[in-house]
């Protein structure tokens, strides 16, 4: 994970759950943003006049429709609709939504805040360890719960352990299917890497 991504995640941790994203969308109906794709280090103010600018857009829709731009190495710059800048309150929301879009393909992202915009790009240099570290920060998007809130985890310690173990095994199985022998199982076990 690059330093700017690590910094933003640290600043807004813990990352939002799907429930928080859904609630935020209910409170802020018709959430729209202006977005533009630019080459790395190629963003300029007049980028907003290019054919790669999408004003008044729903973030999930525009990201899915224009996904090839991210695959081709372009960066996605996001601001509030008609304002040319992004308010802080939208940063954790957008980070969670963008990661949720990528979680099925397990594509790691880089995030940074520059020129009052949230900038999102695919982390093409991420290795297995980087991906593991990135998705651990957003693990609740996959599992649907956050450890800080009422989670639906059973109160009984034994039942809770069985429940969490099952979730972990399902997650490990899914990751093994995608990554094969490269995947290190037990992503909540700090000794996994050193285990023999």
């Amino acid at each position: 994970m690059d330093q700017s991504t690590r910094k933003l995640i640290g600043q807004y941790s813990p990352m939002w759950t799907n429930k928080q994203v859904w609630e935020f969308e209910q409170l802020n109906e018709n959430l729209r943003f202006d977005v533009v794709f630019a080459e790395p280090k190629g963003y300029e103010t007049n980028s907003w006049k290019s054919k790669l600018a999408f004003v008044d857009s729903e973030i999930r829709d525009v990201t899915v429709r224009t996904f090839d731009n991210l695959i081709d190495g372009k960066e996605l710059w996001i601001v509030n609709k008609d304002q040319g800048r992004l308010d802080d309150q939208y940063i954790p929301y957008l980070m969670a939504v963008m990661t949720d879009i990528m979680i099925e393909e397990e594509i790691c992202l880089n995030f940074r805040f520059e020129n009052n915009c949230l900038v999102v790009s695919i982390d093409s240099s991420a290795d297995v360890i980087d991906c593991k570290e990135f998705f651990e920060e957003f693990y609740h998007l996959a599992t649907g719960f956050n450890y800080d809130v009422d989670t639906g985890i059973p109160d009984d310690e034994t039942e809770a352990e069985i429940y969490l173990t099952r979730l972990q095994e399902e997650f490990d199985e899914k990751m093994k299917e995608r990554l094969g022998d490269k995947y290190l199982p037990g992503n909540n076990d700090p000794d996994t890497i050193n285990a023999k």
Side-chain angles (χ1 to χ4, degrees):
M1 209 176 345
D2 73 9
Q3 291 307 310
S4 61
T5 305
R6 191 182 305 279
K7 182 182 170 192
L8 271 184
I9 286 174
Q11 193 174 338
Y12 293 99
S13 267
M15 294 291 97
W16 284 16
T17 64
N18 277 330
K19 181 172 184 281
Q20 287 172 296
V21 168
W22 181 81
E23 287 171 348
F24 189 77
E25 288 172 344
Q26 300 311 300
L27 292 172
N28 300 274
E29 288 182 33
N30 200 25
L31 266 176
R32 313 286 288 182
F33 298 92
D34 292 344
V35 303
V36 65
F37 287 95
E39 296 291 341
K41 298 183 181 163
Y43 171 81
E44 297 171 357
T45 314
N46 67 1
S47 296
W48 294 101
K49 295 184 172 88
S50 78
K51 63 180 179 157
L52 292 176
F54 302 87
V55 295
D56 191 11
S57 296
E58 196 278 318
I59 196 66
R60 285 181 197 272
D61 177 59
V62 76
T63 302
V64 170
R65 280 190 300 106
T66 59
F67 184 68
D68 285 350
N69 289 313
L70 283 170
I71 292 288
D72 292 342
K74 293 182 178 63
E75 297 177 328
L76 179 62
W77 292 67
I78 309 170
V79 296
N80 292 13
K81 179 182 152 191
D82 298 329
Q83 293 183 19
R85 61 181 308 283
L86 184 68
D87 293 339
D88 285 353
Q89 67 170 334
Y90 297 114
I91 295 173
Y93 165 76
L94 288 166
M95 288 172 69
V97 168
M98 291 300 296
T99 302
D100 190 39
I101 293 167
M102 303 297 168
I103 214 162
E104 194 61 35
E105 302 302 322
E106 280 146 16
I107 294 173
C108 298
L109 297 173
N110 286 328
F111 297 110
R112 73 178 188 277
F113 196 70
E114 186 179 322
N115 294 340
N116 295 311
C117 305
L118 179 66
V119 185
V120 183
S121 61
I122 289 177
D123 188 351
S124 55
S125 64
D127 60 18
V128 175
I129 303 295
D130 292 326
C131 283
K132 185 170 179 290
E133 185 182 26
F134 179 80
F135 282 108
E136 279 176 353
E137 293 294 342
F138 292 92
Y139 184 63
H140 56 273
L141 285 170
T143 62
F145 67 80
N146 191 335
Y147 297 104
D148 296 12
V149 295
D150 181 19
T151 60
I153 297 172
D155 290 333
D156 178 78
E157 197 173 319
T158 307
E159 285 180 33
E161 198 170 308
I162 291 167
Y163 175 77
L164 291 171
T165 301
R166 183 176 53 78
L167 279 180
Q168 183 64 54
E169 285 169 355
E170 286 171 5
F171 182 78
D172 286 341
E173 212 171 288
K174 183 178 173 190
M175 293 297 277
K176 271 186 222 156
E177 280 176 24
R178 293 186 182 277
L179 299 174
D181 293 338
K182 293 179 184 173
Y183 178 63
L184 303 171
N187 77 353
N188 60 357
D189 177 2
D191 296 328
T192 299
I193 292 170
N194 300 318
K196 296 194 173 165

